[in-house]
């Protein structure tokens, strides 16, 4: 029996790239999959429902079960309908993989309000809406049964959340928010049998098909394909499986032949004062700590 036999998964942004690879992989592990993506009527990049249906067709051709869902992950009702599609078509929900997103890169002083709102909306609100509706179902089901359910949330962030690229203040902020959101869900839902983890993948998708990034992530003519999305899918499958029942609230970097468990931020140094801090006292204590250093030298994203 496959490790996910009998489980039902929803994968967002599943018509292309990482989402597509994840949907196909989960189906190959026995899950029945809702392949969710946005329709042409809401997508300036011209994607259609056919793209999601092609993934469904590929899953079915391999002997799996899948259904396409067309909707906007950041729309409250569309997202709710996505979860409802799983319940109506397959009778349950066990796994939610949040993946949908896009880029609108600019420096902070060149960023438009529209580009800020769009990226925060799709990435962060898009993750929230799916998590909100899925966890409501799991919580209600658990309370009705009087026992824990089987629930797995896998969110997709980026190392941009750690390194804060100059040209991606909106994307970095959204991805940082996704980590916090997912960890909050992990704490709220552990009593109901639900785990929630975040991955930060490096993979060749449309979001890196620009400029120097496209060349850096290009598929090699021979040898191991370091940035293939297929290198990410086993971790998604593991986090979706019964084998990870005790893994929740964690952050993983995954790419190529490497997987890294990221430790929670820790303090570097702490200063105490006998009374309330004053400007002079802080200038003395912190001034000594930063003496001789350059701007950003002590910044979190500059540390190895």
């Amino acid at each position: 029996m496959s490790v996910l036999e009998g489980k039902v998964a929803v994968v967002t942004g599943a018509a292309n790239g990482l989402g597509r690879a994840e949907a196909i992989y989960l189906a190959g592990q026995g899950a029945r999959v809702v392949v969710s993506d946005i329709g042409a009527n809401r997508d300036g990049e011209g994607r259609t429902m056919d793209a999601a249906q092609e993934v469904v067709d590929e899953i079915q051709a391999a002997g799996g079960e899948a259904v396409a869902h067309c909707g906007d992950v950041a729309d409250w009702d569309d997202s709710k309908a996505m979860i409802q599609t799983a319940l109506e078509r397959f009778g349950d929900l066990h796994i939610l993989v949040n993946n949908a997103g896009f880029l609108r890169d600019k420096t902070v002083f060149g960023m438009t309000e529209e580009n800020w709102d769009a990226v925060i909306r799709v990435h962060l609100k898009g993750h929230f809406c799916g998590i909100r509706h899925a966890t409501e179902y799991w919580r209600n089901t658990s309370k009705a049964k009087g026992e824990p359910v089987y629930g797995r949330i896998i969110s997709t962030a980026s190392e941009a959340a750690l390194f804060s690229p100059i040209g991606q203040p909106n994307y970095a902020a959204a991805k940082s928010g996704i980590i916090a959101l997912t960890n909050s869900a992990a704490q709220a839902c552990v009593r109901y049998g639900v785990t929630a983890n975040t991955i930060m993948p490096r993979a060749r998708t449309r979001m890196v098909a620009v400029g120097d990034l496209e060349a850096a992530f290009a598929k090699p003519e021979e040898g191991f394909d370091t940035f293939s999305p297929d290198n990410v899918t086993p971790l998604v499958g593991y986090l979706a499986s019964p084998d990870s029942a005790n893994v929740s609230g964690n952050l993983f970097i995954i790419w190529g032949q490497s997987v890294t468990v990221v430790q929670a931020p820790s303090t570097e140094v702490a200063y105490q004062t006998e009374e309330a801090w004053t400007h002079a006292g802080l200038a003395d204590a912190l001034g000594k700590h930063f003496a001789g250093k350059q701007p950003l030298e002590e910044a979190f994203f500059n540390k190895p």
Side-chain angles (χ1 to χ4, degrees), residues 8 29 36 45 53 56 90 101 114 129 146 157 161 176 191 226 228 239-240 247 255 257 265 267 271 291 301:
V8 178
Q29 296 299 306
S36 181
E45 297 178 1
Q53 187 59 47
V56 170
F90 300 124
E114 291 76 15
C129 286
S176 295
R191 71 185 68 181
T226 298
S228 169
L239 293 174
V247 181
W255 62 286
Q257 297 162 302
T267 58
Y271 297 97
F301 52 78

Side-chain angles (χ1 to χ4, degrees), residues 75-271:
D75 181 272
W76 184 267
D77 292 333
D78 281 3
S79 184
K80 189 171 185 177
M82 175 182 71
I83 301 301
Q84 195 62 32
T85 297
L87 301 179
E88 292 176 357
R89 182 63 179 267
F90 300 124
D92 209 339
L93 173 68
H94 305 98
I95 301 157
L96 172 63
V97 182
N98 291 300
N99 185 71
F102 63 86
L103 297 176
R104 295 291 184 269
D105 291 355
K106 287 287 184 181
T107 55
V108 68
F109 37 76
M111 178 72 59
T112 66
E113 181 181 15
E114 291 76 15
N115 285 346
W116 172 271
D117 288 347
V119 168
I120 295 295
R121 179 184 182 278
V122 172
H123 286 274
L124 186 52
K125 186 182 177 184
H127 270 65
F128 163 70
C129 286
I131 290 173
R132 166 62 173 79
H133 297 310
T135 54
E136 179 183 25
Y137 168 72
W138 286 325
R139 177 178 181 269
N140 290 345
T141 302
S142 176
K143 293 181 73 172
K145 292 183 175 180
E147 61 184 22
V149 298
Y150 186 107
R152 300 286 188 270
I153 299 167
I154 298 103
S155 295
T156 306
S158 164
E159 289 170 272
L162 305 179
F163 302 121
S164 308
I166 293 173
Q168 295 182 317
N170 49 359
Y171 183 68
K175 291 306 190 182
S176 295
I178 285 169
I179 297 169
L181 165 66
T182 305
N183 286 347
S184 178
Q187 294 185 77
C189 297
V190 65
R191 71 185 68 181
Y192 305 118
V194 178
T195 68
N197 294 282
T198 305
I199 64 171
M200 297 191 293
R202 299 182 203 171
R204 186 173 52 256
T205 68
R206 291 185 305 175
M207 292 208 300
V208 299
V210 291
D212 295 337
L213 278 178
E214 185 170 18
F217 281 77
K219 183 177 181 178
E221 294 184 2
E222 58 183 23
F224 184 74
D225 186 1
T226 298
F227 297 111
S228 169
D230 292 337
N231 298 327
V232 176
T233 57
L235 177 59
V236 174
Y238 167 73
L239 293 174
S241 77
D243 294 326
S244 65
N246 65 330
V247 181
S248 194
N250 289 277
L251 179 61
F252 301 87
I253 299 171
I254 175 72
W255 62 286
Q257 297 162 302
S258 172
V259 60
T260 302
V261 182
V262 180
Q263 186 178 14
S266 58
T267 58
E268 180 175 355
V269 62
Y271 297 97

Side-chain angles (χ1 to χ4, degrees), residues 251-302:
L251 179 61
F252 301 87
I253 299 171
I254 175 72
W255 62 286
Q257 297 162 302
S258 172
V259 60
T260 302
V261 182
V262 180
Q263 186 178 14
S266 58
T267 58
E268 180 175 355
V269 62
Y271 297 97
Q272 302 293 328
T273 182
E274 294 181 359
E275 298 182 2
W277 280 108
T278 63
H279 179 101
L282 288 168
D284 179 60
L286 296 181
K288 290 176 181 177
H289 177 79
F290 289 103
K293 299 184 183 296
Q294 298 300 312
L296 303 182
E297 189 172 333
E298 287 281 305
F300 173 75
F301 52 78
N302 277 347

